[in-house]
Amino acid sequence: MKRKSDKPIKITEVCLRDGSHVMLHQYTEEQVRRVARELDDAGMHYIEVSHGDGLGGSTLQYGKSLVDEMKLIEAAVDECQNSKVAVLLIPGIGTVHELKQAHELGASLVRVATHVTEADVSAQHISMARELGMETLGFLMMAHMAPPEKLVEQAKLMESYGAQAVYVTDSAGALLPHEVKERIAALRDSISIEVGFHAHNNLSLAVANSLAAIEEGATRIDGSIRCLGAGAGNAQTEVLLSVLNRMGVDLGIDIYKMMDLAEHTVGPMIPRPQEINRGSLVLGYAGVYSSFLLHAERAGQRFGIDSRDILIELGKKKVVGGQEDMILDVAAELAKARKLEV
Amino acid sequence: MAKIKAAIIGSGNIGTDLMYKLERSEVIELTAMIGIDPESDGLKRAKERGYLAFDNGIQALMDNPDIADIVFDATSAKTHVRHAKVLAEMGKLAIDLTPAARGPFVSPAVKTDTYLDEKNLNMITCGGQATIPIVHAINSAADVSYAEIVATISSKSAGPGTRANIDEFTLTTRRGIEEVGGADQGKALIILNPAEPPILMRDTIYCEVKNMDEASITKSIEQMVETVKQYVPGYRLKQEPLFDGNKVTVFIEVEGAGDYFPIYAGNLDIMTAAATRVAEDFAVHMLEKQSVESKG
């Protein structure tokens, strides 16, 4: 495989964070322990553990966690011999207080996430994470909503605050392979830190897009085993690793062990198959934040409307990540409009 | 009619918008705008409109102690800590629009018995001003165990101060939800949305209550919206309140008055409007006291 970076590729398994959406934030300590232990045994580089919306995300807006995420982070750290435990922090939701607590419990990497145009809200969190000695990466979400030049401008801000890598985060799973390439290339040419890519599989492009990103020089790549992430999940980790292996890239992660973990541990945990259904397809098609899917389905049932109509309307309104309250609002509005029509 | 004199320290966006709000007051006479940058748009506008304009900061007030009985501080948290001391020594009423929180938190829609005894009042945050009245209304009807608010504002209306210290917003608002709103436990989220044209400020309030009573909660919320509307005309319910088990969800939209800020910046407007209303309460009180004293 030809790559435009000679740095090693590092994989972050996100099923214990992004997958938290699918699990309705009901992960038990036992589940987290088992998944973390087996990932560690397979040689996974980083394992992200947090509420789906990052530290402090346990809310009525996003869903309350069954078990305090700090307890889950502590449990994952306890199970890992070699894998590092990562956390996600979205400024506006979590604060540096939760970050410090996670760090004390042994989390050693943080991704500080903002909407793709709002990087300047991350300055205090990135610099605090660096002060704590954590590996600190920036996460520019909903990357499909801004052109490459804007992405470059925002990534430079994160770099200036001390971020050691910046991700192109395709939160809606809306980017097409050539758009991924453009964005990764633009970042590679303009910042001196590493570039990462986080995919969602809503258009069935997560693995293809991750490969495109790697070819263009991305070295930080996210995956979720069995696609256990919001919407249709992320790049399916065990598939991505197998494909990379076929292309001659060995990341030191045991593929058989990952397959077994997917089959025997994660598979039985998942409430429903992580296939691309009409809801997740619409996420990618309309460019909507992937964690909106289950909220939109619930709101659709409550108000008796098609959840696709809700998602399309949210896409039109250019709603950003974290605006889950808009789902109920839009659903109630659509229902009212329908009644008027009748 | 007699008026109480007031001055604004801080000639930035908030201070300038406040100037326009105070211009309409029937009980407050704005005398001066005090800044530190002679080139600032706020000081220029103040001069144009006939107010005293000083560019030497709080020293101007120390040199001219008679220009104001009420002083609005629209500088920064750090600066207000210093100002608070000076203003207290001078015996001035301080209305603090920074997150410094030297004095108690206040929302003009939620008054306590000892409200008018205070000498330094803090205006909490924009999200707090928009949502705490609703939490309070639900709390008085149904006893709120947990309140969570989501403030969504347009990216254009989020200034560098908010952006550099967004944790201050979430933590201060949380405290306000508990201390002023009356929730046993609070939580605040803030989201910036860059959509063009810019969106109006919107706030969602979720409350878990101990004594669910849909009718009295709805009535209490509607009354509160009317109260806030008296000083923020563009404050409105976006939907009927939604009920689900012990949970109430309220959607609010705040359209600004369009003074110095465009109308989408309801978040900034509600701060200056609320500060004006608090100052007016005090001004009325001061005027009453004066008239009693002169009669006596």
Side-chain angles (χ1 to χ4, degrees):
Chain A
M1 177 183 203
K2 265 201 168 154
R3 295 202 288 131
K4 294 184 180 161
S5 170
D6 48 14
K7 290 194 183 114
I9 297 167
K10 298 281 184 196
I11 304 286
T12 301
E13 169 59 51
V14 299
C15 71
L16 296 178
R17 196 279 303 166
D18 214 321
S20 173
H21 295 293
V22 178
M23 302 295 289
L24 301 171
H25 315 292
Q26 302 299 296
Y27 269 127
T28 63
E29 183 179 334
E30 197 194 340
Q31 285 172 327
V32 168
R33 279 189 180 275
R34 181 164 174 199
V35 172
R37 182 165 64 237
E38 294 178 13
L39 282 168
D40 179 68
D41 182 51
M44 180 51 60
H45 304 144
Y46 297 94
I47 304 169
E48 191 173 56
V49 184
S50 303
H51 183 279
D53 293 271
L55 299 177
S58 176
T59 53
L60 295 173
Q61 169 88 343
Y62 306 123
K64 292 257 184 192
S65 301
L66 176 68
V67 181
D68 186 338
E69 62 192 342
M70 294 301 166
K71 218 169 177 186
L72 300 181
I73 290 165
E74 193 175 17
V77 169
D78 184 46
E79 294 292 342
C80 288
Q81 310 282 329
N82 299 303
S83 303
K84 289 181 175 149
V85 172
V87 293
L88 178 76
L89 174 62
I90 305 178
I93 299 175
T95 67
V96 293
H97 297 282
E98 285 99 13
L99 179 63
K100 282 182 191 161
Q101 206 182 341
H103 170 252
E104 275 165 26
L105 294 173
S108 56
L109 181 146
V110 60
R111 283 120 54 104
V112 182
T114 73
H115 183 69
V116 62
T117 55
E118 313 297 319
D120 58 359
V121 298
S122 67
Q124 70 179 138
H125 310 83
I126 290 178
S127 60
M128 172 57 71
R130 289 300 303 273
E131 260 174 55
L132 292 170
M134 296 178 83
E135 206 175 336
T136 308
L137 318 181
F139 218 53
L140 289 170
M141 301 189 289
M142 299 291 270
H144 73 284
M145 287 177 87
E149 313 81 67
K150 188 72 186 175
L151 202 65
V152 164
E153 168 200 299
Q154 298 292 305
K156 281 183 172 169
L157 286 176
M158 285 181 158
E159 182 178 28
S160 75
Y161 308 143
Q164 293 156 299
V166 175
Y167 277 75
V168 174
T169 307
D170 185 14
S171 319
L175 286 174
L176 306 178
H178 71 278
E179 295 171 320
V180 173
K181 281 191 172 176
E182 270 169 26
R183 283 166 173 75
I184 300 290
L187 290 192
R188 190 199 62 223
D189 289 343
S190 51
I191 58 177
S192 54
I193 52 177
E194 281 182 77
V195 179
F197 182 67
H198 173 98
H200 277 272
N201 201 37
N202 302 331
L203 296 178
S204 198
L205 289 170
V207 169
N209 281 348
S210 299
L211 292 177
I214 291 170
E215 280 172 358
E216 283 301 324
T219 50
R220 300 278 181 158
I221 302 294
D222 286 5
S224 57
I225 196 157
R226 263 296 170 97
C227 278
L228 181 47
N234 312 87
Q236 191 168 344
T237 319
E238 67 278 25
V239 176
L240 179 66
L241 291 169
S242 304
V243 173
L244 284 171
N245 197 282
R246 284 276 308 275
M247 297 172 88
V249 180
D250 182 358
L251 299 179
I253 300 170
D254 189 310
I255 294 172
Y256 260 36
K257 283 184 177 170
M258 289 296 289
M259 291 178 190
D260 288 341
L261 167 52
E263 198 72 16
H264 301 304
T265 304
V266 172
M269 247 168 44
I270 297 179
R272 63 181 193 186
Q274 278 297 92
E275 63 195 2
I276 302 170
N277 59 20
R278 62 184 186 178
S280 46
L281 175 54
V282 165
L283 293 173
Y285 178 74
V288 175
Y289 202 63
S290 293
S291 66
F292 283 13
L293 177 63
L294 299 176
H295 293 270
E297 286 180 2
R298 272 200 303 276
Q301 275 168 12
R302 178 166 172 184
F303 291 94
I305 38 182
D306 190 327
S307 61
R308 285 174 296 186
D309 291 342
I310 303 174
L311 293 169
I312 296 275
E313 185 63 22
L314 290 165
K316 274 191 212 153
K317 287 191 188 294
K318 299 212 165 62
V319 164
V320 304
Q323 283 192 272
E324 265 81 345
D325 52 324
M326 282 294 284
I327 298 170
L328 269 184
D329 191 6
V330 161
E333 231 164 62
L334 288 175
K336 228 191 275 173
R338 296 275 153 90
K339 259 185 219 148
L340 289 179
E341 280 168 25
V342 178
Chain B
M1 191 180 161
K3 290 188 178 185
I4 298 290
K5 287 182 183 168
I8 299 168
I9 313 183
S11 59
N13 292 339
I14 293 275
T16 310
D17 191 72
L18 187 57
M19 176 177 82
Y20 292 100
K21 298 268 186 302
L22 291 172
E23 236 167 47
R24 293 195 288 267
S25 176
E26 286 172 9
V27 289
I28 291 174
E29 178 193 349
L30 180 66
T31 58
M33 172 81 91
I34 301 170
I36 48 170
D37 176 8
E39 296 304 310
S40 68
D41 189 41
L43 282 188
K44 281 185 190 162
R45 285 177 182 241
K47 217 178 285 173
E48 276 166 24
R49 301 184 88 84
Y51 301 115
L52 297 169
F54 298 100
D55 60 18
N56 57 338
I58 197 162
Q59 187 62 43
L61 190 70
M62 293 158 79
D63 296 341
N64 306 280
D66 296 333
I67 57 173
D69 296 312
I70 299 176
V71 178
F72 296 89
D73 194 335
T75 58
S76 68
K78 226 172 120 189
T79 311
H80 181 69
V81 172
R82 193 162 50 83
H83 287 176
K85 232 180 121 203
V86 176
L87 295 173
E89 279 163 13
M90 293 180 75
K92 305 295 181 196
L93 173 70
I95 297 183
D96 172 20
L97 290 92
T98 80
R102 304 312 280 182
F105 285 167
V106 59
S107 155
V110 182
K111 288 170 198 162
T112 60
D113 299 340
T114 55
Y115 172 57
L116 293 169
D117 300 334
E118 304 294 347
K119 288 286 172 206
N120 183 319
L121 297 117
N122 180 273
M123 299 307 302
I124 326 175
T125 60
C126 62
Q129 288 299 339
T131 58
I132 289 168
I134 300 294
V135 174
H136 186 269
I138 299 173
N139 189 52
S140 24
D143 200 352
V144 172
S145 51
Y146 174 75
E148 177 181 310
I149 72 98
V150 186
T152 306
I153 62 175
S154 68
S155 297
K156 271 198 174 153
S157 70
T162 307
R163 288 169 177 274
N165 202 347
I166 204 161
D167 283 4
E168 208 161 57
F169 173 93
T170 49
L171 298 171
T172 304
T173 307
R174 169 193 289 211
R175 245 188 76 196
I177 291 168
E178 295 167 1
E179 291 175 15
V180 182
D184 299 345
Q185 210 199 336
K187 167 96 182 167
L189 310 174
I190 183 169
I191 295 163
L192 307 183
N193 180 311
E196 287 289 343
I199 57 158
L200 294 179
M201 180 201 206
R202 44 169 302 128
D203 300 275
T204 300
I205 299 113
Y206 301 98
C207 286
E208 285 175 341
V209 303
K210 293 174 200 163
N211 313 313
M212 178 51 83
D213 177 347
E214 295 190 12
S216 77
I217 292 174
T218 303
K219 195 169 153 222
S220 183
I221 292 170
E222 283 168 354
Q223 281 170 351
M224 184 55 84
V225 170
E226 289 311 309
T227 304
V228 178
K229 247 188 213 295
Q230 286 169 14
Y231 57 94
V232 187
Y235 186 85
R236 55 187 173 244
L237 280 177
K238 183 105 192 346
Q239 298 281 349
E240 300 293 299
L242 297 177
F243 294 93
D244 184 11
N246 70 332
K247 200 172 81 182
V248 193
T249 308
V250 181
F251 302 98
I252 293 285
E253 191 170 71
V254 188
E255 181 177 329
D259 288 324
Y260 185 58
F261 301 119
I263 57 156
Y264 61 75
N267 46 313
L268 303 175
D269 187 84
I270 199 169
M271 278 299 266
T272 56
T276 301
R277 172 49 63 102
V278 168
E280 285 178 337
D281 285 344
F282 277 84
V284 168
H285 183 64
M286 289 172 185
L287 289 168
E288 278 167 4
K289 245 171 50 186
Q290 279 176 9
S291 88
V292 170
E293 278 161 18
S294 65
K295 275 176 202 156

